[in-house]
Amino acid sequence: MKYTKLLLVILILSTSLIIGQHASIKGKVVNSKTSEVVANVNVIVSTTKYSTSTDKDGSFNISSINDGIYTITFSNVGFSTVLEQVEITGKDIDLGIIKLEPTPIHLGEITVSSTKFDKQLRDVSIPLIALTNEEFKFKPSTTLVDLLKNEPGINLGRDGIWGTRINIRGFSKEAVVTLIDGNRVETANNVAASFSLIDPATIERIEVIKGSASSLYGTGAVGGVVNIITNKNLFSGNSYFSGSYSSSYSSVNKGVSNSIVLNAGAQNWFAKVSGTIRNAQNTDTPEGEILNSQFHDNSIFATVGYRPFENHEFIANYQIFKAEDVGIPGGAAFPTNASARYPDEKRELYSLEYKAYNLFPNLATLNFKVFHQLINRNVELKPNAVTINKPSADHTTNGVQLQTSWVFGSNNLIVGIDAWQREYDGIRERINLTAKKTIIDKPIPNSKYRSIGLFAQDEFSLLDKKLNFTLGGRIDQINVKNDEVKNPIAIISNGIVNNNPPTTPGGSFAESDNSDISWSANLGTIYKLTKSLDFTLNIARSFRAPALEERFQYIDLGGVIYLGNPELKPEDGYYFDLGTRVWLNNLSFKLNLFVNYINNFILDEQVVADSLFIKNNVSKARIYGFDFSFEYELYQNTVLYGSGTYSRGEDTDRDLDLTDIPPLNGKLGIRTNYFEYVSVDLSASIFDSQTNGKVSTNPATWNVHTPGYVTYDIYLNSMPIDLYLVKLQISAGVENITDKSYRNSLSTNRGIIKLEPGRNFFAKVSLNW
């Protein structure tokens, strides 16, 4: 209620106290070499939140800008950034034709928002990866992690084919925050699913912060943040209608995907709707099929924006993603001979956002958002021939965010508050077919996890903008409540119900109400030695309160039991990252060295060999390593590129290795345009053997040791072909060209075949209008 009152006051004041005259800026962006128009160029007015993108005709129009002197940034992947300085004096300005110089390498020109203030990637001190739809839309992918798996510092973890998880410099699951359009995704992490609950075809951009971001995003961001952006909000001075249809096929699982996207808008409104249907059978490997790896899913995403008056926007967002009969051939908690699947799975999101620009002097923006997200998960697990487990749960997250951006000369100040609450409501049936007996219990008691955080971040420059600082801090209050649960709740034997069965002590939990107060901070710097060479340093204090599953988990798989621990202490730690970057017309290079020190690190501790694991705190842990990437233009649009990643995780108190740490790996490739008709990308993914794995004193529980391997991929992509009313684009290629037989050390695939997918021929056709 108090946030609603605050919003009403701001709306009333803003309509009467807008200061100064207003004007608009328009123009058209073209390719300097071909004179063709360039669509989807980011156009940002400095020190404000005024921004737009060029439409399919290359045109843009930004209205209602206050008087003043501004720098307008034009940026797009594949082009050098252009800056134009303008002075607004109450008259509309037409910049005419803006020419962008194409470049075959990435020079940090992409605009990112995960630091809470829109800026170009090359002006961000924290290690951050950003991929746009233009870079990945023609590559085959089951989940978004498939799109990111070859980026430096990022690795793919599997709990099957459909169920994937991201590993950022050795951190995964609860240590990584996932956002969809700024809305936090909270669900169970025992078997990966959060990254599977979004269709890659709907993604406009993916931004990944590699390293602690607790001071911006609160608890859980110890290892990093994945920010998935589906909406390209486009108000335009010209009315428009556009769309696309795409269809793709992958041979490795006979996967078929069909997607359609429709866009329309004008100066004061826009609308976007998209839908996708996907079906796939079992995945092939060089040694046979991965049984139970099929999936079927579909999604609808819709966004509507409206400008009721100058400087004010309302944006409503709806997303629904459904999956049926999804096989789970992985999952570390499951026995080797188990079969598991999701009979049905759903994620549904509603959000409403209000944005205001330049309300008062120094107040550049105000954002207010509320969201509701429901994730319904149903599992059917068969640990043996006579037992069926059916856990199901609703994971509901409600949240509110208020953020303001202030400009004081060269200082950009962010101040905000966000609050969210996850509610868990679940049940489990364990059916013994032979004994005709059903045990009803709760894998987690009904519980609530609430986080309220106040944050601030200041960005400023010294030494004529050669030395840039980012200083931020955050205070969070975490509250966790759970109902009492005495497992099992009931036992049904031959149709007779017993509502007071004997209680299982380790799987039962008393009612509780616990709170934690945390603080986080960060300091980031960029020193620009020259226009083409800079150095970065980031220092952060991180914090993570234990998740519901870590506190209360009770998983009994008929021989293997995993228990939570209500007495877990929060994790906290310190993070250091030192980097250097080179930005030349024919060369880009980035190198980062990092180390994380974590106190009270949470892991599964073996209590009884191979049968009982309980969540516990390790006194001290350390994860360190490096990652790098480069691009070098060998000759006229022919680019050699590569990357590398190394992470090492240690339980320093007990001199043991941490789990879920990838081996040394990297990528080397070359891409070129063939007579400007077809682009060709040939690459090799290289993985060292994984020999670190002493995670306990019992060798039977050590990490899986995997040999090294190399796989090769080739991607072909045509240039747009003009067919009068539509433009046709065709892509094709082969992944794992040599049909290499290999195993991912981060994969939990069970059964006889534990390999990764074999040779995959794929093709995709896209029509745009």
Side-chain angles (χ1 to χ4, degrees):
M1 181 60 71
K2 61 182 180 181
Y3 296 122
T4 304
K5 291 180 179 178
L6 175 62
L7 178 59
L8 290 174
V9 170
I10 292 170
L11 283 173
I12 293 170
L13 290 175
S14 62
T15 57
S16 59
L17 295 178
I18 302 297
I19 296 176
Q21 299 181 18
H22 305 88
S24 65
I25 301 174
K26 67 178 182 179
K28 178 177 285 189
V29 180
V30 302
N31 185 316
S32 64
K33 290 188 176 180
T34 65
S35 296
E36 294 181 348
V37 299
V38 184
N40 299 317
V41 175
N42 293 309
V43 185
I44 299 177
V45 181
S46 65
T47 70
T48 73
K49 272 287 187 174
Y50 284 115
S51 64
T52 189
S53 298
T54 56
D55 59 23
K56 64 179 182 179
D57 298 319
S59 300
F60 69 92
N61 189 318
I62 304 177
S63 60
S64 304
I65 303 178
N66 292 337
D67 288 357
I69 298 176
Y70 302 98
T71 298
I72 304 178
T73 303
F74 299 87
S75 64
N76 197 19
V77 174
F79 294 88
S80 298
T81 298
V82 169
L83 304 179
E84 291 280 343
Q85 191 172 69
V86 299
E87 182 176 4
I88 301 294
T89 59
K91 297 181 180 179
D92 295 341
I93 294 179
D94 186 348
L95 293 178
I97 301 298
I98 306 297
K99 296 182 179 181
L100 296 189
E101 182 79 15
T103 174
I105 66 176
H106 298 88
L107 297 173
E109 67 285 334
I110 184 172
T111 299
V112 296
S113 59
S114 292
T115 57
K116 301 286 188 178
F117 206 103
D118 290 356
K119 57 170 57 179
Q120 284 197 296
L121 182 61
R122 66 187 300 163
D123 295 324
V124 174
S125 65
I126 60 176
L128 190 151
I129 289 173
L131 292 179
T132 68
N133 180 271
E134 294 297 321
E135 297 174 272
F136 58 68
K137 68 180 179 181
F138 290 107
K139 293 185 178 180
S141 59
T142 300
T143 75
L144 72 91
V145 187
D146 294 309
L147 304 173
L148 291 165
K149 63 183 179 181
N150 289 314
E151 296 299 314
I154 295 179
N155 288 97
L156 167 70
R158 286 197 188 276
D159 290 336
I161 299 300
W162 185 85
T164 59
R165 52 194 168 87
I166 196 169
N167 186 292
I168 303 176
R169 292 178 167 181
F171 287 93
S172 188
K173 296 184 178 180
E174 291 89 350
V176 174
V177 167
T178 304
L179 305 168
I180 298 179
D181 292 323
N183 306 306
R184 197 165 175 128
V185 179
E186 291 291 322
T187 184
N189 282 301
N190 297 99
V191 179
S194 59
F195 290 105
S196 308
L197 295 172
I198 184 168
D199 172 23
T202 66
I203 299 173
E204 292 285 354
R205 189 170 76 251
I206 309 172
E207 299 179 9
V208 181
I209 297 176
K210 300 185 296 182
S212 174
S214 298
S215 60
L216 283 176
Y217 293 98
T219 181
V222 174
V225 174
V226 181
N227 190 10
I228 305 158
I229 300 163
T230 67
N231 301 318
K232 195 173 185 66
N233 304 325
L234 182 57
F235 297 97
S236 175
N238 303 313
S239 298
Y240 67 90
F241 173 76
S242 63
S244 66
Y245 169 77
S246 63
S247 182
S248 64
Y249 175 79
S250 294
S251 67
V252 75
N253 59 1
K254 299 179 177 61
V256 177
S257 175
N258 290 281
S259 300
I260 188 167
V261 180
L262 300 174
N263 299 281
Q267 183 171 337
N268 294 321
W269 68 275
F270 74 85
K272 175 179 179 179
V273 63
S274 62
T276 298
I277 298 176
R278 304 190 303 173
N279 295 281
Q281 300 179 25
N282 286 337
T283 297
D284 290 329
T285 76
E287 298 179 15
E289 288 186 355
I290 300 177
L291 298 179
N292 194 38
S293 59
Q294 78 288 341
F295 67 87
H296 312 278
D297 59 38
N298 60 82
S299 64
I300 297 175
F301 286 22
T303 303
V304 176
Y306 177 60
R307 283 179 175 166
F309 35 81
E310 291 182 346
N311 301 350
H312 301 270
E313 299 174 3
F314 288 93
I315 298 172
N317 189 19
Y318 174 73
Q319 302 176 3
I320 185 167
F321 183 99
K322 292 183 177 181
E324 297 177 351
D325 188 29
V326 176
I328 312 175
F334 299 157
T336 301
N337 60 347
S339 75
R341 71 185 184 104
Y342 294 116
D344 57 270
E345 189 101 345
K346 182 177 78 171
R347 181 182 68 85
E348 191 168 22
L349 169 72
Y350 302 86
S351 70
L352 179 63
E353 185 174 8
Y354 163 72
K355 298 181 178 181
Y357 307 108
N358 297 329
L359 292 176
F360 313 110
N362 305 116
L363 177 57
T365 66
L366 181 144
N367 286 50
F368 180 82
K369 176 190 277 191
V370 293
F371 73 91
H372 167 82
Q373 186 164 236
L374 169 66
I375 296 177
N376 176 255
R377 301 183 67 175
N378 297 292
V379 181
E380 182 184 83
L381 168 65
K382 297 179 180 179
N384 51 60
V386 300
T387 304
I388 302 175
N389 290 346
K390 292 184 176 181
S392 62
D394 288 339
H395 306 260
T396 304
T397 305
N398 296 298
V400 59
Q401 305 165 12
L402 175 65
Q403 179 179 308
T404 59
S405 303
W406 304 80
V407 178
F408 301 96
S410 63
N411 284 51
N412 295 326
L413 176 65
I414 303 290
V415 179
I417 184 171
D418 66 54
W420 56 272
Q421 178 170 282
R422 174 191 172 194
E423 299 183 21
Y424 172 93
D425 186 355
I427 199 77
R428 173 174 55 196
E429 295 181 356
R430 291 186 284 158
I431 304 169
N432 188 304
L433 300 175
T434 303
K436 297 181 179 179
K437 179 180 179 181
T438 300
I439 300 174
I440 301 174
D441 59 14
K442 282 183 168 291
I444 298 174
N446 289 353
S447 47
K448 297 178 181 180
Y449 187 113
R450 186 189 69 211
S451 171
I452 301 175
L454 176 65
F455 61 90
Q457 179 168 283
D458 187 26
E459 301 178 9
F460 58 95
S461 302
L462 300 173
L463 304 179
D464 195 24
K465 296 186 178 181
K466 286 190 174 182
L467 182 61
N468 301 304
F469 286 93
T470 301
L471 181 63
R474 182 183 178 109
I475 297 177
D476 285 273
Q477 194 264 349
I478 311 293
N479 178 257
V480 180
K481 294 182 180 179
N482 71 282
D483 295 343
E484 180 185 40
V485 61
K486 294 182 178 180
N487 282 322
I489 298 171
I491 297 178
I492 304 173
S493 297
N494 294 310
I496 300 173
V497 180
N498 179 2
N499 290 316
N500 295 290
T503 299
T504 303
S508 300
F509 299 93
E511 181 181 2
S512 65
D513 186 341
N514 298 293
S515 294
D516 292 314
I517 298 292
S518 73
W519 66 273
S520 307
N522 72 283
L523 171 64
T525 63
I526 301 178
Y527 177 63
K528 299 181 179 180
L529 183 62
T530 67
K531 183 179 179 180
S532 303
L533 175 64
D534 61 50
F535 299 93
T536 62
L537 172 66
N538 287 276
I539 303 172
R541 200 264 186 182
S542 58
F543 175 89
R544 186 177 78 83
L548 295 179
E549 287 77 8
E550 293 173 318
R551 297 173 188 262
F552 307 120
Q553 173 179 276
Y554 170 43
I555 297 179
D556 185 351
L557 299 172
V560 182
I561 298 175
Y562 290 83
L563 298 179
N565 182 357
E567 304 302 321
L568 285 174
K569 300 175 183 178
E571 293 180 347
D572 66 80
Y574 292 90
Y575 159 74
F576 302 88
D577 184 285
L578 180 64
T580 184
R581 305 179 301 187
V582 176
W583 313 99
L584 296 172
N585 289 333
N586 63 343
L587 171 69
S588 69
F589 175 79
K590 289 175 282 187
L591 169 66
N592 289 85
L593 310 176
F594 63 88
V595 61
N596 286 272
Y597 297 97
I598 307 104
N599 299 315
N600 301 317
F601 191 76
I602 299 171
L603 48 69
D604 283 310
E605 187 169 44
Q606 181 179 243
V607 177
V608 179
D610 298 329
S611 61
L612 178 60
F613 297 83
I614 299 178
K615 287 286 192 298
N616 209 345
N617 292 107
V618 174
S619 294
K620 294 184 184 299
R622 178 175 60 209
I623 298 178
Y624 60 93
F626 65 85
D627 53 55
F628 70 90
S629 64
F630 72 89
E631 292 179 312
Y632 175 64
E633 185 178 15
L634 295 170
Y635 176 78
Q636 292 185 351
N637 295 321
T638 299
V639 175
L640 177 70
Y641 66 92
S643 63
T645 300
Y646 173 76
S647 300
R648 185 83 167 90
E650 300 171 336
D651 174 347
T652 55
D653 274 0
R654 299 182 296 179
D655 192 26
L656 298 173
D657 296 321
L658 297 180
T659 60
D660 230 18
I661 305 296
L664 173 68
N665 64 90
K667 188 171 186 176
L668 185 64
I670 189 168
R671 63 174 184 265
T672 187
N673 292 335
Y674 185 71
F675 295 125
E676 297 186 353
Y677 293 109
V678 178
S679 64
V680 182
D681 188 330
L682 177 64
S683 63
S685 298
I686 308 162
F687 279 74
D688 193 9
S689 59
Q690 174 60 286
T691 56
N692 297 321
K694 188 179 177 184
V695 298
S696 73
T697 57
N698 180 7
T701 64
W702 291 1
N703 285 344
V704 174
H705 289 185
T706 55
Y709 58 88
V710 180
T711 61
Y712 302 91
D713 306 317
I714 186 169
Y715 302 96
L716 307 173
N717 184 29
S718 76
M719 299 298 108
I721 303 170
D722 196 342
L723 301 179
Y724 184 55
L725 294 178
V726 299
K727 289 187 176 181
L728 169 68
Q729 208 159 0
I730 302 172
S731 63
V734 186
E735 295 181 314
N736 193 0
I737 295 173
T738 61
D739 203 25
K740 177 69 176 180
S741 177
Y742 68 99
R743 184 173 181 182
N744 179 356
S745 66
L746 300 182
S747 173
T748 59
N749 285 349
R750 304 179 311 276
I752 297 174
I753 297 176
K754 301 180 176 67
L755 303 178
E756 294 299 293
R759 184 187 296 116
N760 178 37
F761 295 93
F762 69 90
K764 185 173 183 178
V765 177
S766 179
L767 297 174
N768 299 275
W769 62 88

